[in-house]
Amino acid sequence: MRVLVTGGAGFIGSHIVTALAKAGHEPVVLDALLPGAHPVAPEPAAFEFRHADVRDPVSVRAALRGVDAVCHQAAMVGLGKDFADAPEYVSCNDLGTAVLLDAMADLGVRRLVLAGSMVVYGEGRYECPAHGAVRPGARRPEDLAAGRFEPRCPACAAHLSPGLVGEDAPADPRNVYATTKLAQEHLTAAWTRAVGGTAVSLRYHNVYGPGMPRDTPYAGVASLFRSALARGEAPRVFEDGGQRRDFVHVRDVAAANVLALEAVGGLPAGAFTAYNTGSGEPHTVGEMATALARACGGPEPVVTGEFRLGDVRHITADSSRLRGELGWRPEVGFAEGMTEFAGAAQRASAALG
């Protein structure tokens, strides 16, 4: 199968390209090499490479010729620096997706795997002892400033127990990036219905591993901690470090993409399915920082009490649908993955091949 991988020079995209080639497929890479993700040029591509922006209809149509399926990874990621990033997020993520889908419709390419995200849920699943499953609202700045980080029951203010969130949970994006990721899914679902296409969104949880970009305003927390340790500095952990996340290794995410690309052609016309893509091993941010610091032989993390508006407290995945329907099994455990990540070189951009 000939597969166009948008954003294929990036962290996750380059691992997908490698996994596709190992599985016997023919990857084609399209990447704009935006400076925020690629401060320096990537290493020479081992596969067909097109230096182009997914927002450029001419370039996208040229890249799609002869392609059987698309793996759409191109996006601006992270919370960004401030709300001034909003136009660029919407342009890269949503306009880019619309341009790609329009070109696919015109050229008859009907299979798509989308890089989704767990951020579409907002906060994760919570249980109140008195009221059962509840949906806490956004955390108030005054509570965060006072060190009250845990959401409370909106009905009785009781302490809540966090749990696993499933794909059928209502969407509740809490920042611009999250909103653009949800819009990507809505655009994709509309496309499948309009043209009889089939699509899967893999809602990634916290992806980490070799080739992760260095410290940038758009980097994930694992990258920020790893960059600090590489400088000999202690990782700075926000809030009290008790935020629960699901850290999933990039090779497992790449394997999920290969499975989804192979399965999407068998879905009925017009189908769109979302799958949580997490390790199934929730850990706190503080636990991750400590494991990484010890594996690096660096200083212990510093818990700062700082916070970012728009961050959620707990979000961990129920990935049983992906396991049951596509047979995906993550292979890299938390301890093994953090040890490998501690010794892996960080790059300004991941190599192709």
Side-chain angles (χ1 to χ4, degrees), residues 164-237:
L164 302 180
V165 62
E167 292 89 349
D168 295 329
D172 186 17
R174 299 290 177 90
N175 54 60
V176 171
Y177 169 65
T179 302
T180 66
K181 296 305 290 184
L182 183 59
Q184 283 185 310
E185 290 195 351
H186 287 320
L187 286 166
T188 299
W191 170 82
T192 62
R193 292 190 294 268
V195 306
T198 55
V200 162
S201 177
L202 296 176
R203 291 176 175 169
Y204 302 157
H205 282 248
N206 292 72
V207 186
Y208 74 98
M212 204 168 190
R214 293 190 186 100
D215 194 352
T216 79
Y218 307 96
V221 66
S223 177
L224 296 174
F225 292 166
R226 179 67 177 80
S227 295
L229 289 161
R231 297 190 300 267
E233 300 172 3
R236 293 177 59 81
V237 179

Side-chain angles (χ1 to χ4, degrees), residues 60-87:
V60 170
R61 279 171 167 74
L64 282 169
R65 298 197 184 280
V67 160
D68 301 299
V70 174
C71 185
H72 183 31
Q73 305 294 311
M76 281 185 69
V77 300
L79 285 178
K81 293 172 287 186
D82 51 47
F83 198 82
D85 281 336

Side-chain angles (χ1 to χ4, degrees), residues 12 116-119 121 124 164-167 177 202-208 244-249 253 275-280 314-319:
I12 298 174
S117 176
M118 54 85 179
V119 296
Y121 299 117
L164 302 180
V165 62
E167 292 89 349
Y177 169 65
L202 296 176
R203 291 176 175 169
Y204 302 157
H205 282 248
N206 292 72
V207 186
Y208 74 98
R244 285 164 52 92
R245 297 291 187 268
D246 187 319
F247 299 97
V248 58
H249 197 276
V253 169
Y275 292 104
N276 285 334
T277 308
S279 70
H314 304 297
I315 176 69
T316 53
D318 178 356
S319 299

Side-chain angles (χ1 to χ4, degrees), residues 119-132:
V119 296
V120 301
Y121 299 117
E123 288 284 354
R125 178 181 174 83
Y126 291 89
E127 293 279 342
C128 171
H131 296 95

